[in-house]
Amino acid sequence: MRGRFITLEGGEGSGKTTQAALLGKALAAAGMKVHVVRSPGGTAVAEKLRSILKTREPGEELTPETELLLFGACHSQMVETLLKPELEQGIHVISDRFFDSTKVYQGYARGIDLRMLDEINRFSCRGLKPDLTIVLDLDPELGVRRSSGRVDRAAFENDRFDSETIAFHTAVRNGFLQLAELEKDRIRVISAEDSVDKVAQAVRECVKHELGLELL
Ligand code: TMP
């Protein structure tokens, strides 16, 4: 059987990385083959692109177009070298972010034309879509407080996304909620305000219900 492709999405500090790892453990505990990855990243080349995308380069700003095309490049690498072969081998893949982040960050938040983003996502992902996407929804003020508390001040300010304005993070939150409205069959929203354990339980229930996977 082909593996299922599950993505976790949401703003900064919404707990995607923790929840992706916990969901991975739950699938593994139920005897399934599972790989937890992140975007941007997941392959050696995409991890190199990640550091260009995440970190400020003194004296040179990335243009929004460069940013978009680098995310597209990351997704293309991930689809061909990781996702397609693993899903075909029956491995379930959980990704901490994927192409919905492109639509939301580069589109709803940076203002690039949404239809063009659909085209670029289709092109870079060869039409591959997640079987299920879970948006972890959180008040951006709380999310930014959580993520700024995780790293030192310099690392936070050097991160091109974490250090964006609250208006930007609010546009990101609203973008994910709009996408969820537009793609009700694929995207589910779960509140990330509860404790880690409660959110993890809600994520497991959602995966069981939507994909019919037998989890404990
Ligand atoms: P994170 O892995 O720490 O969440 O950092 C990834 C950052 O990249 C995050 O701020 C969201 C951003 N991003 C985009 O802007 N577009 C994309 O397509 C993806 C995958 C991530």
Side-chain angles (χ1 to χ4, degrees):
M1 197 188 85
R2 187 180 171 275
R4 310 312 288 270
F5 178 31
I6 304 166
T7 59
L8 293 183
E9 295 278 6
E12 319 304 324
S14 58
K16 293 172 307 305
T17 309
T18 306
Q19 293 301 335
L22 290 174
L23 181 62
K25 278 192 186 149
L27 265 65
M32 299 173 202
K33 287 184 280 182
V34 57
H35 188 185
V36 180
V37 296
R38 66 177 180 181
S39 170
T43 79
V45 169
E47 286 292 333
K48 285 188 181 161
L49 296 175
R50 177 185 173 92
S51 71
I52 299 175
L53 279 160
K54 288 275 284 177
T55 319
R56 275 185 207 292
E57 181 67 33
E60 183 177 344
E61 286 293 327
L62 283 191
T63 68
E65 292 77 9
T66 301
E67 182 182 278
L68 166 63
L69 294 171
L70 288 179
F71 280 117
C74 285
H75 292 144
S76 175
Q77 278 305 116
M78 191 169 162
V79 165
E80 283 303 314
T81 65
L82 189 155
L83 283 169
K84 279 189 178 173
E86 292 195 348
L87 295 172
E88 270 160 31
Q89 288 168 53
I91 300 169
H92 301 302
V93 181
I94 300 167
S95 186
D96 175 355
R97 297 191 185 281
F98 192 57
F99 68 13
D100 293 305
S101 279
T102 314
K103 190 98 179 264
V104 165
Y105 282 80
Q106 281 61 59
Y108 288 101
R110 296 255 196 257
I112 295 179
D113 179 64
L114 294 174
R115 267 168 310 175
M116 196 176 77
L117 292 179
D118 283 336
E119 278 307 305
I120 290 188
N121 275 341
R122 239 193 313 274
F123 175 69
S124 50
C125 302
R126 276 28 139 246
L128 185 88
K129 279 188 166 195
D131 296 296
L132 172 66
T133 295
I134 297 174
V135 169
L136 297 178
D137 180 54
L138 188 65
D139 176 346
E141 301 248 7
L142 189 55
V144 169
R145 232 179 298 140
R146 277 189 191 170
S147 61
S148 65
R150 244 181 354 222
V151 291
D152 64 46
R153 191 80 215 148
F156 182 77
E157 276 167 12
N158 215 23
D159 187 301
R160 296 182 53 254
F161 295 94
D162 283 354
S163 59
E164 274 287 357
T165 60
I166 284 294
F168 180 89
H169 294 298
T170 303
V172 165
R173 181 195 203 181
N174 293 338
F176 279 123
L177 295 178
Q178 279 194 44
L179 272 193
E181 275 298 306
L182 291 172
E183 285 200 61
K184 289 205 170 91
D185 286 351
R186 175 174 67 88
I187 306 179
R188 293 278 171 270
V189 179
I190 289 177
S191 168
E193 278 194 29
D194 272 331
S195 67
V196 169
D197 285 352
K198 279 201 174 143
V199 176
Q201 194 183 341
V203 168
R204 281 197 305 276
E205 288 301 325
C206 180
V207 168
K208 278 202 300 203
H209 184 259
E210 298 300 326
L211 298 179
L213 295 182
E214 291 296 323
L215 300 180
L216 305 174

